[in-house]
Amino acid sequence: MTSARPLRVPGIAYGGDYNPEQWPEEVWAEDMRLMREAGVTMVNVGVFSWALLEPSEGVYDFARMDRILDLLHANGIAADLATPTAAPPAWFFRAHPDALPVDRDGRNLSYGSRQTFCPSSPAYRTAALRIAGALAERYAEHPAVAMWHVHNEYGCHNAACYCDTSAAAFRTWLRARYADDLDALNHAWGTTFWSQWYYDWEEILPPRATGAPPNPTHQLDWRRFCSDELLSLCTAERDILRRAAPHIPATTNLMVLRTFDALDYWRWAPELDIVSNDHYLMSDDPESDIDIALSADLMRSLAGGPWMLMEHSTGAVNWQPVNRAKHPGEMRRNALANVARGADGIFFFQWRAAKAGAEQWHSAMLPHAGTESRIWQDVVQLGSDLDALAEVRGSSVDAQVAIVWDWDSRWALELPSQPSGALRFQDLVRDWYTPLWRAGVAVDFVRPDADLDRYRLVLAPSLYLVDDAGAANLAGFAERGGTLAVGFHSGAVDENCHVRPGSYPGAFRDLLGVRTDELFPLLPGQTLQLTGQAPAGATATLWSERIQLAGADLVASFADGPLAGSPAVTRHTSESGTAWYLATRPDPATLAALMDRIREDADVQPVLTDAPGGLEVVRRSGTDADYLFLIDHGGAGAEVPADGVELLTGKPVCGSVTVPAGGVAVVREPH
């Protein structure tokens, strides 16, 4: 969180969403006492309070918020004050029913929950900026306000609206993108196909429900537009807040988690003073620790350094088919794993569990059972832990490996009419990330056009769409001596979703030294054997393709199936660098072995050699010391070589440190 507008809350900020308006005022004093007991230093307030702050259009009632902020300040707790624009009140929709969203099938949605507004609605924008301005004017100098919280989870429930107002806004966006040149749009969209040529901008609509698959580039530009439209709302509110209080940083909570892909956060992150995230575990994920780490590394990469975890859960959530409770010690490990990977703030939804409403069964820092609960004990313990880790704030994670992550490519890969409908961008990326996580290798995420010179190894597990500049940047990295590994079906299309003519893998065929003339995706449950320089019993699923070597060396080939004998994994060396190609999805053990070999090519070493299985190992680097985070997910504990001071206990470490079973150790290592 190295912003021109730094957060003035010291150490690792700690707290959660605080909704005192849901409780009688006599409860507030108890909240303050318990927050102090738990070590809370900042809370998010006002997130869903629009109906109470503005009971009718242009009429404000700030008395309750005045008392809340005064009470927080009197108790030494900072406020992250939200603009409440994620939940417009009922009176707004009665006055402006045209601001309600329309879904892809043309159904008009109703109000009665949150985020039921059209992002392109002029009436919504006017009302949102009005309430943001009123809050900014009143509280810009309030001593409790340490950060602005813009909106809440943009796009969570209304990433797209298909109404006529949105259609007009989409056309305006397209005219800007294509320099008001309709022929350029027709070329980019390939509209000679299926008689889709447009002769007038007014003919263009959102990709509403049709009888056959819609145009891929039309859908891709729609995804880009929807992301930008919501971003324009965010920056408009942010600008109002900045004008009123240029010294106070502003954030909005992104949603880098497995189930959300609506927004291009490479475009969003630079607009925020502090980059923050909401992350929740999926109950059906048997290795959710990996999902936490991947999300945290991506967040650190978006932020370019430290960031803030704005929401996660102390226990169960309320919105999955089955909402499991967290196991003993899991909440602490979850939180400290995020700190290990760059989080300088840890927050939960929410402070006090709600009695009523759609989230009444969502866990909280103070659960329904109150202080006589395991969750409360864990919350207090975590507050103590974060206080002990205060000096870690501002330190970095230095990685020698980068994984290419691109929302355009993700969106394009998962459009209809692919060779396989089973391709999922995040699953393919996680496949390659997992063996690095297990090995304790630090990872950054990068755009295809990022500066790659500080890395030894760059991985592109799934880069279906890439423009010429991005492809040249990756090739240049290998040509300058780096090691690059590319996954199947990468480089296939350009930025307009046009297939690159010639053999596959398109933009990367010369770099990789291979030529593919036909793709052979595998059926569900189909498995192929691999032979060659692969572990005994190696298998692959999901994908295969017929490859001819054009300079690359064979590493492994398919042992059976229609492509028996065809290369499955190749390695192409040049005078300076190396480029690997994985033309299938190897089983986890085989992929881990391949990743070990690819890392050896790049001379990339883990933080600790021979770390015990189940132990997550991360190092944050500070000005005067490094901080070695050791998190035991295996439940057996570990003895790890180290010297320094274990910060959570304050005990000196001479030669080795003991990580308790299911526990955490953090060692300060002096430079």
Side-chain angles (χ1 to χ4, degrees):
M1 296 184 294
T2 54
S3 165
R5 300 170 180 84
L7 183 67
R8 65 175 189 260
V9 178
I12 308 295
Y14 182 46
D17 273 44
Y18 182 40
N19 300 289
E21 66 273 9
Q22 298 177 10
W23 298 88
E25 284 200 38
E26 53 266 26
V27 175
W28 299 1
E30 181 187 39
D31 287 333
M32 297 301 106
R33 177 179 63 81
L34 293 176
M35 284 181 189
R36 293 195 305 272
E37 180 180 331
V40 167
T41 59
M42 185 166 78
V43 292
N44 313 320
V45 292
V47 175
F48 295 116
S49 59
W50 194 345
L52 300 179
L53 292 172
E54 190 179 7
S56 61
E57 186 167 352
V59 176
Y60 302 106
D61 181 358
F62 293 120
R64 181 185 290 103
M65 184 61 72
D66 289 347
R67 296 194 298 276
I68 292 167
L69 293 177
D70 290 347
L71 188 62
L72 289 170
H73 180 62
N75 283 272
I77 300 168
D80 173 26
L81 180 57
T83 60
T85 52
W91 62 254
F92 169 79
F93 290 114
R94 287 187 66 195
H96 305 285
D98 56 341
L100 287 163
V102 175
D103 71 10
R104 186 171 178 267
D105 294 318
R107 296 179 302 171
N108 292 286
L109 304 184
S110 179
Y111 60 91
S113 61
R114 66 180 189 179
Q115 289 170 316
T116 51
F117 61 86
C118 166
S120 299
S121 164
Y124 169 78
R125 180 179 289 256
T126 297
L129 297 187
R130 184 177 63 238
I131 185 68
L135 282 166
E137 180 180 354
R138 188 170 188 89
Y139 297 116
E141 301 301 328
H142 196 288
V145 179
M147 185 164 69
W148 297 117
H149 186 297
V150 182
H151 197 81
N152 181 76
E153 295 182 339
Y154 276 102
C156 182
H157 302 286
N158 64 338
C161 172
Y162 295 80
C163 71
D164 290 341
T165 300
S166 298
F170 182 41
R171 290 190 288 268
T172 299
W173 183 91
L174 290 169
R175 294 181 82 141
R177 178 174 177 83
Y178 294 102
D180 213 23
D181 185 344
L182 193 54
D183 285 345
L185 177 141
N186 278 305
H187 174 74
W189 286 16
T191 56
T192 52
F193 184 82
W194 279 0
S195 189
Q196 294 172 7
W197 191 273
Y198 296 104
Y199 291 94
D200 191 292
W201 291 100
E202 295 300 312
E203 295 168 0
I204 299 173
L205 297 173
R208 295 167 176 163
T210 59
N215 183 310
T217 319
H218 183 181
Q219 295 176 85
L220 180 59
D221 270 350
W222 173 251
R223 298 294 297 265
R224 292 163 170 159
F225 157 75
C226 291
S227 177
D228 284 356
E229 193 77 342
L230 286 165
L231 179 57
S232 74
L233 291 174
C234 178
T235 56
E237 288 193 31
R238 178 211 62 193
D239 289 347
I240 285 176
L241 300 170
R242 277 185 180 174
R243 284 195 294 271
H247 57 290
I248 298 178
T251 190
T252 190
N253 39 345
L254 309 184
M255 297 177 65
V256 173
L257 68 165
R258 198 179 87 187
T259 56
F260 186 78
D261 72 344
L263 307 179
D264 181 353
Y265 287 141
W266 289 122
R267 293 176 61 83
W268 281 66
E271 301 294 342
L272 305 174
D273 297 313
I274 294 173
V275 178
S276 63
N277 190 47
D278 292 356
H279 183 270
Y280 291 100
L281 307 183
M282 299 301 296
S283 294
D284 62 355
D285 185 349
E287 296 183 309
S288 56
D289 305 316
I290 299 173
D291 188 53
I292 290 172
L294 189 156
S295 174
D297 283 342
L298 180 52
M299 283 304 304
R300 186 187 67 253
S301 303
L302 288 165
W307 55 283
M308 179 176 289
L309 181 63
M310 187 61 68
E311 287 185 27
H312 71 312
S313 66
T314 58
V317 297
N318 68 294
W319 43 268
Q320 298 179 34
V322 176
N323 297 291
R324 75 165 179 88
K326 291 188 176 181
H327 304 305
E330 186 178 6
M331 184 268 279
R332 183 178 187 236
R333 292 194 301 273
N334 292 168
L336 295 182
N338 280 286
V339 175
R341 296 176 184 276
D344 278 0
I346 296 294
F347 293 81
F348 293 95
F349 181 83
Q350 57 180 325
W351 162 251
R352 183 182 282 270
K355 291 193 301 182
E359 293 178 307
Q360 66 190 123
W361 291 110
H362 195 294
S363 61
M365 299 174 76
L366 183 61
H368 294 135
T371 57
E372 301 298 322
S373 62
R374 190 197 75 204
I375 282 181
W376 174 251
Q377 295 168 5
D378 290 346
V379 164
V380 174
Q381 175 64 57
L382 181 59
S384 177
D385 290 340
L386 296 177
D387 184 57
L389 297 177
E391 66 182 82
V392 173
R393 175 173 170 162
S395 58
S396 61
V397 176
D398 299 324
Q400 296 180 322
V401 179
I403 294 179
V404 180
W405 181 289
D406 184 67
W407 271 274
D408 274 0
S409 186
R410 179 176 184 173
W411 295 336
L413 179 72
E414 297 178 11
L415 291 173
S417 304
Q418 281 286 342
S420 171
L423 302 180
R424 293 292 178 268
F425 174 88
Q426 182 144 333
D427 291 345
L428 298 175
V429 171
R430 178 164 157 171
D431 282 353
W432 287 34
Y433 178 87
T434 295
L436 299 172
W437 180 86
R438 294 195 194 285
V441 174
V443 172
D444 285 343
F445 287 89
V446 295
R447 298 167 57 122
D449 58 354
D451 180 359
L452 304 175
D453 287 343
R454 66 181 177 274
Y455 302 107
R456 293 178 180 270
L457 172 62
V458 173
L459 308 175
S462 181
L463 195 58
Y464 168 68
L465 177 151
V466 64
D467 62 17
D468 291 344
N473 188 50
L474 293 168
F477 167 77
E479 291 162 359
R480 293 190 300 275
T483 299
L484 175 72
V486 177
F488 63 83
H489 207 32
S490 292
V493 300
D494 65 15
E495 66 274 19
N496 293 319
C497 261
H498 292 195
V499 174
R500 294 178 179 274
S503 56
Y504 314 120
F508 299 120
R509 55 183 173 245
D510 293 332
L511 171 69
L512 298 171
V514 298
R515 297 289 186 272
T516 292
D517 73 329
E518 192 170 4
L519 308 175
F520 287 75
L522 304 183
L523 296 173
Q526 185 178 2
T527 300
L528 299 179
Q529 304 296 314
L530 297 180
T531 188
Q533 302 172 42
T539 62
T541 58
L542 191 65
W543 191 269
S544 64
E545 54 190 65
R546 185 165 52 221
I547 290 178
Q548 291 185 340
L549 300 179
D553 296 321
L554 177 67
V555 175
S557 58
F558 298 108
D560 56 356
L563 300 182
S566 179
V569 181
T570 64
R571 178 176 181 267
H572 189 207
T573 57
S574 63
E575 292 182 0
S576 52
T578 304
W580 291 73
Y581 185 50
L582 277 64
T584 190
R585 187 186 199 182
D587 66 78
T590 301
L591 182 57
L594 285 168
M595 281 295 142
D596 285 345
R597 184 172 171 191
I598 292 169
R599 283 198 296 110
E600 290 172 6
D601 253 8
D603 192 25
V604 170
Q605 301 300 320
V607 174
L608 290 179
T609 56
D610 301 322
L615 187 71
E616 181 174 359
V617 182
V618 190
R619 177 176 281 121
R620 286 184 68 162
S621 298
T623 303
D624 301 316
D626 292 342
Y627 303 95
L628 181 64
F629 283 76
L630 305 163
I631 306 171
D632 177 48
H633 299 292
E639 190 80 13
V640 175
D643 287 285
V645 175
E646 202 290 300
L647 294 178
L648 298 177
T649 62
K651 295 180 180 179
V653 174
C654 299
S656 68
V657 63
T658 299
V659 185
V664 181
V666 182
V667 181
R668 181 208 293 130
E669 304 172 314
H671 285 169

